[in-house]
């Protein structure tokens, strides 16, 4: 029996149907990803399902929820009272019981601080009785468990939390009721890469039935068991992960385009025929007239796919070859070290990705590189002719009261792109904003639309240094892929802060990563190259004690009686130390080579080959050490 079912669902926004008699079913154990272009109605669909049985938020159709199941829902921007504590916020989703639990928690806290001891004990006894009667202790235990799991302080005020902490809080609130079904709208927004990977593991291992919206392609590939696409009011299901969906979808779109082309050709031929006039009222002619009416109706009813964003980016005049040089730079805020003794040289055309946990200081490091912030120690040298464009993840450059046209070209109806003038309405159409929305206020836009508008504003002026701070939040996958292609072809210098692992891999050539305690290091390649290198270092560190133990064992093994070595085995044993030394030398050379930040740009294939070779050296070394141990043991104990 399904957990959730959507039947003949209809929902419109103005004259645009978001759901057009759509059907959907969520079965136990599934992890379904809901994808689609910005503005197609994904969040509205999720909210309708969260509202429960009946019509709810739909214009027509029904939502059916299996009786008795618990559904957890995390909207894209969860509403919280900033004055509440984390504990109060988590239990607020538990209905009437939440108020009693919140008061019990507050009374317990006040008892620990001292106060009217007798009155507090009396009230605590009353609360205990009421909570026991409701069987509420299991709820409190569950709340405390999820708060600890998400690494939150139960006493912290919600208003003091960062964006990433609030997202964790929303997830904790949803999981506190131990739901059988979890509905998540953009769960990865505001989370750093480590938190996203942790959430992936949590959702997979929890076994909860899941319906979620995300544009993070790595998250989609790892978590989803089925992809459901909302396209032109209809829901299409694709079993498997996102990579498998892309292959099937490409074939479907090709077939749809061919079918539409055939229908259009036939309609054109029949329109030519009807204009010549019906020669006689024969059955065949009447049939053709009826078929023409049917073709016209089908063509009018057909909904075309939404157009693609037309992204253009002009780098303007070239900057100097040197963009920035940092020499032993350090920066602290109070007692906290943000950057410690960091040096780098950034040249024109470099595409730099900055990765690290939230609060590591990525924005501070960027401001140091761009000369907006003075270091506490060391020197920063900027290049010449720098024209910098900045994309702010918090979209503070957008005035909610301004119109879209004023954001793009204040006081003028024209923008200049690539040396040619273009009307602001036409330019907005390139970013999928309808002409009638040009005079709408920014406050009327969704999160994805605001990101598109900020990109439109950013790309309206030439820039040879582009700084993108979380540009991928809320953008749909089609726009992400177009933006990737644009940045790959961009001949200026790029600084990219992102938690989208696929986006980083597809765009950047170098990575600056936070290593903790203000330490930053530069690596060749994107996120996967950095992650693979870290994994190889961890493996070397884990294997080192084993190798040392195994190297010591031949001495002890000399007391054991074993077979004498053959002449061939004796020669092999004598050659092993030289082979081991050669592998260790190769390992050191490759490590030094991969630390060169310019390698990936000069020789991308060579960098990949070196990284792959480095990963296999550890296994070869271990095999040689084990062989050496066995031969040495036998050589020291002749029979």
């Amino acid at each position: 029996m399904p957990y959730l079912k959507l039947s003949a669902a209809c929902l419109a926004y103005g004259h645009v149907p978001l759901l057009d008699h759509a059907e959907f079913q969520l079965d136990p154990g599934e992890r379904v990803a809901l994808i689609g272009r910005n503005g197609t109605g994904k969040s509205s669909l999720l909210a309708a399902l969260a509202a429960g049985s009946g019509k709810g938020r739909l214009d027509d159709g029904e939502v059916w929820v299996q009786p008795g199941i618990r559904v957890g829902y995390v909207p894209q921007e969860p509403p919280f009272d900033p004055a509440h504590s984390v504990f109060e916020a988590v239990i607020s989703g538990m209905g009437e019981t939440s108020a009693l639990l919140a008061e019990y928690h507050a009374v317990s806290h006040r008892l620990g601080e001292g106060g009217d001891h007798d009155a507090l004990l009396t009230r605590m006894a009353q609360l205990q009785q009421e909570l026991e009667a409701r069987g509420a202790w299991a709820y409190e235990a569950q709340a405390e468990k999820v708060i600890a799991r998400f690494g939150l302080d139960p006493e912290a005020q919600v208003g003091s939390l960062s964006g990433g902490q609030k997202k964790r809080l929303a997830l904790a609130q949803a999981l506190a009721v131990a739901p059988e079904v979890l509905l998540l709208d953009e769960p990865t927004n505001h989370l750093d890469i480590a938190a996203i990977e942790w959430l992936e593991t949590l959702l997979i291992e929890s076994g909860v039935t899941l319906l979620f919206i995300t544009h993070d392609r790595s998250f989609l590939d790892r978590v989803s068991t089925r992809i459901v696409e909302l396209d032109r009011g209809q829901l299409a299901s694709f079993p498997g992960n996102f990579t498998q969906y892309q292959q099937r979808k490409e074939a479907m779109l090709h077939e749809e385009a061919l079918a539409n082309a055939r229908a259009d050709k036939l309609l054109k031929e029949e329109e030519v025929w009807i204009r010549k006039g019906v020669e006689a009222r024969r059955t065949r002619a009447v049939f053709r007239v009826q078929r023409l009416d049917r073709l016209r109706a089908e063509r009018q009813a057909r909904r075309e796919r939404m157009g693609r964003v037309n992204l253009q980016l002009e780098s303007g005049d070239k900057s100097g070859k040197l963009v920035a040089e940092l020499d032993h730079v350090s920066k602290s805020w109070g007692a906290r070290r943000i950057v410690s003794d960091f040096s780098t040289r950034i040249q024109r055309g470099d595409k730099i990705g900055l990765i690290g946990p939230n609060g590591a200081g990525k924005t501070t490091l960027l401001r140091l590189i761009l000369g907006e912030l003075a270091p506490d120690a060391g020197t920063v040298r900027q290049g010449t002719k720098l024209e910098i464009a900045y994309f702010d993840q918090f979209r503070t450059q957008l005035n909610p009261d301004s119109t879209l046209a004023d954001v793009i070209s204040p006081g003028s109806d024209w923008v200049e792109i690539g040396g040619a003038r273009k009307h602001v309405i036409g330019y907005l159409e390139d970013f999928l904003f309808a002409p009638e929305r040009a005079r709408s206020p920014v406050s009327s836009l969704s999160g994805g639309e605001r990101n598109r508008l900020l990109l439109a504003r950013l790309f309206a002026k030439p820039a040879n240094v582009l700084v993108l701070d979380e540009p991928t939040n809320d953008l749909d996958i089609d726009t992400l892929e177009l933006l990737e292609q644009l940045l790959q072809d961009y001949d200026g210098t790029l600084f990219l802060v992102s938690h989208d692992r696929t986006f980083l891999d597809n765009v950047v050539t170098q990575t600056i990563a936070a290593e903790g305690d203000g330490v930053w290091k530069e690596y060749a390649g994107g996120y996967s190259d950095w992650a693979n290198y870290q994994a190889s270092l961890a493996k070397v560190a884990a294997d080192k004690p084993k190798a040392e133990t195994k190297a010591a064992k031949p001495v002890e093994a000399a007391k054991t009686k074993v077979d004498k070595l053959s002449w061939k085995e004796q020669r092999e044993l004598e050659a092993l130390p030289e082979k081991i030394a050669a592998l260790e030398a190769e390992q050191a050379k490759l490590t030094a080579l991969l630390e060169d930040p310019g390698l990936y740009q000069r020789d991308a294939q060579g960098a990949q080959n070196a990284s792959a070779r480095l990963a296999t050296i550890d296994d070869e070394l271990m095999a040689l050490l084990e062989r050496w141990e066995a031969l040495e043991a036998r050589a020291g104990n002749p029979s």
Side-chain angles (χ1 to χ4, degrees):
M1 182 184 291
Y3 275 157
L4 298 175
K5 193 170 183 180
L6 191 72
S7 301
C10 294
L11 181 65
Y13 181 77
H15 65 284
V16 179
L18 301 178
L19 298 175
D20 188 4
H21 298 87
E23 304 280 339
F24 172 71
Q25 179 172 309
L26 181 65
D27 293 320
E30 285 193 298
R31 296 192 299 271
V32 178
L34 178 61
I35 66 171
R37 300 290 292 274
N38 289 138
T40 53
K42 300 185 299 297
S43 294
S44 299
L45 171 58
L46 208 65
L49 291 171
S53 297
K55 183 183 286 189
R57 303 190 181 194
L58 300 175
D59 296 333
D60 198 7
E62 287 190 351
V63 174
W64 178 85
V65 180
Q66 187 184 124
I69 69 160
R70 292 181 298 276
V71 178
Y73 172 50
V74 179
Q76 195 171 140
E77 297 294 338
F80 289 118
D81 185 338
H84 277 176
S85 69
V86 165
F87 181 83
E88 290 170 336
V90 168
I91 63 172
S92 65
M94 298 178 178
E96 296 177 2
T97 307
S98 62
L100 294 174
L101 281 172
E103 186 180 357
Y104 182 84
H105 189 73
V107 169
S108 302
H109 192 63
R110 284 161 59 194
L111 270 173
E113 294 177 342
D116 191 344
H117 193 266
D118 293 337
L120 290 173
L121 282 176
T122 301
R123 182 54 185 157
M124 179 174 280
Q126 294 171 347
L127 290 169
Q128 282 178 328
Q129 289 179 356
E130 291 186 58
L131 290 168
E132 284 171 4
R134 293 171 179 264
W137 296 121
Y139 289 123
E140 183 187 38
Q142 179 70 6
E144 291 174 347
K145 179 181 176 182
V146 296
I147 288 171
R149 175 184 280 184
F150 282 88
L152 297 168
D153 177 5
E155 304 301 331
Q157 274 200 329
V158 172
S160 68
L161 302 182
S162 67
Q165 289 172 322
K166 285 180 181 176
K167 182 64 76 172
R168 285 174 177 254
L169 174 60
L171 291 165
Q173 184 189 61
L175 289 171
V177 296
E180 284 93 358
V181 176
L182 194 56
L183 309 177
L184 304 177
D185 194 349
E186 294 288 2
T188 63
N189 276 5
H190 309 299
L191 295 183
D192 56 43
I193 292 175
I196 292 171
E197 292 176 337
W198 171 84
L199 179 61
E200 289 172 349
T201 303
L202 172 69
L203 294 174
I204 292 169
E205 293 179 351
S206 69
V208 67
T209 299
L210 189 64
L211 175 62
F212 63 97
I213 299 169
T214 186
H215 300 133
D216 186 321
R217 289 158 290 177
S218 298
F219 191 93
L220 282 167
D221 261 339
R222 187 176 176 200
V223 176
S224 62
T225 58
R226 178 160 66 105
I227 302 289
V228 170
E229 183 184 30
L230 178 55
D231 181 19
R232 290 164 284 179
Q234 296 296 314
L235 292 166
S237 181
F238 302 83
N241 61 19
F242 181 70
T243 301
Q244 294 165 324
Y245 151 80
Q246 283 183 305
Q247 295 166 352
R248 292 188 181 96
K249 183 64 177 179
E250 186 176 356
M252 281 181 59
L253 288 176
H254 179 66
E255 290 298 323
E256 180 183 337
L258 291 177
N260 287 343
R262 287 193 294 268
D264 290 342
K265 181 181 179 182
L266 180 58
L267 175 60
K268 185 177 180 180
E269 291 171 351
E270 294 302 289
E271 291 284 6
V272 171
W273 170 80
I274 198 70
R275 285 181 175 83
K276 290 180 179 178
V278 182
E279 296 174 357
R281 296 192 176 276
R282 293 171 296 181
T283 303
R284 184 178 177 188
V286 172
F287 167 74
R288 289 190 71 175
V289 172
Q290 292 172 341
R291 183 175 65 173
L292 175 58
D293 290 338
R294 189 177 70 252
L295 287 170
R296 285 171 172 170
E298 289 173 355
R299 181 64 185 85
Q300 187 174 6
R302 186 195 306 167
R303 287 184 64 186
E304 303 291 351
R305 278 180 60 82
M306 188 185 295
R308 305 186 82 188
V309 176
N310 180 19
L311 297 178
Q312 297 180 58
L313 177 58
E314 186 185 356
S315 58
D317 296 332
K318 285 188 175 182
S319 67
K321 186 175 182 181
L322 174 71
V323 172
E325 185 175 39
L326 280 67
D327 186 28
H328 299 288
V329 166
S330 296
K331 183 69 181 178
S332 299
W333 295 119
R336 182 167 168 247
R337 283 192 294 182
I338 306 298
V339 180
S340 178
D341 195 29
F342 178 63
S343 299
T344 188
R345 182 181 176 87
I346 296 162
Q347 296 184 323
R348 182 180 63 229
D350 286 349
K351 294 181 172 65
I352 311 289
L354 279 79
I355 60 176
N358 288 335
K362 299 185 289 293
T363 302
T364 299
L365 180 58
L366 266 178
R367 292 181 65 197
L368 286 168
I369 292 171
L370 299 175
E372 297 176 359
L373 196 64
D376 296 337
T379 58
V380 178
R381 184 161 65 102
Q382 265 80 42
T384 58
K385 300 180 182 177
L386 301 184
E387 296 177 3
I388 301 171
Y390 201 106
F391 182 99
D392 171 22
Q393 65 164 314
F394 300 110
R395 302 188 280 257
T396 54
Q397 300 168 42
L398 298 179
N399 182 348
D401 299 324
S402 296
T403 66
L404 276 61
D406 285 340
V407 168
I408 300 300
S409 183
S412 172
D413 288 336
W414 301 90
V415 291
E416 190 167 317
I417 305 295
R421 294 183 79 212
K422 190 167 190 176
H423 198 277
V424 67
I425 291 178
Y427 182 66
L428 283 168
E429 283 187 284
D430 288 342
F431 288 81
L432 303 185
F433 293 108
E436 56 269 21
R437 300 191 70 186
R439 305 302 173 189
S440 300
V442 171
S443 58
S444 68
L445 303 182
S446 68
E449 288 172 327
R450 292 190 189 200
N451 263 22
R452 283 211 310 270
L453 181 63
L454 192 52
L455 287 174
R457 172 189 169 99
L458 192 73
F459 297 164
K461 295 181 180 179
N464 53 36
V465 176
L466 199 56
V467 182
L468 303 182
D469 190 355
E470 291 294 352
T472 63
N473 281 350
D474 303 317
L475 289 182
D476 59 55
I477 293 169
D478 282 358
T479 306
L480 280 178
E481 291 175 343
L482 286 171
L483 183 57
E484 283 177 353
Q485 185 63 52
L486 180 78
L487 295 177
Q488 288 167 3
D489 298 337
Y490 177 58
D491 58 5
T493 305
L494 173 69
F495 295 95
L496 174 63
V497 178
S498 179
H499 299 140
D500 187 322
R501 293 155 288 178
T502 304
F503 194 81
L504 283 166
D505 280 342
N506 291 343
V507 172
V508 305
T509 57
Q510 295 143 261
T511 298
I512 298 177
E515 306 274 313
D517 198 26
V519 176
W520 297 82
K521 289 188 178 178
E522 195 168 0
Y523 300 88
Y527 171 78
S528 294
D529 298 296
W530 171 81
N532 291 336
Y533 180 69
Q534 295 300 312
S536 68
L537 289 181
K539 188 175 186 301
V540 169
D543 290 343
K544 189 175 181 181
K546 298 177 186 177
E548 291 173 350
T549 302
K550 291 180 179 184
K553 282 183 180 178
V555 178
E556 300 173 8
K559 301 174 185 177
T560 308
K561 186 174 181 179
V562 293
D563 295 332
K564 188 175 181 179
L565 295 180
S566 66
W567 180 87
K568 185 177 180 180
E569 288 173 329
Q570 186 63 42
R571 301 286 78 75
E572 182 185 359
L573 175 60
E574 292 171 359
L576 277 174
E578 186 176 344
K579 289 183 178 180
I580 291 171
L583 275 178
E584 289 175 339
E586 184 183 2
Q587 185 181 53
K589 182 179 178 182
L590 288 173
T591 300
L593 182 66
L594 289 171
E595 287 178 351
D596 177 8
L599 173 64
Y600 198 92
Q601 191 173 14
R602 294 193 308 271
D603 183 9
Q605 187 59 48
Q608 292 176 1
N609 293 340
S611 181
R613 173 58 183 154
L614 187 63
T616 61
I617 286 178
D618 291 330
D619 295 333
E620 293 181 18
L621 273 173
M622 188 55 61
L624 289 179
L625 285 167
E626 289 174 351
R627 179 62 175 163
W628 176 67
E629 173 194 342
L631 293 176
E632 186 73 13
R634 291 171 57 195
N637 296 276
S639 54

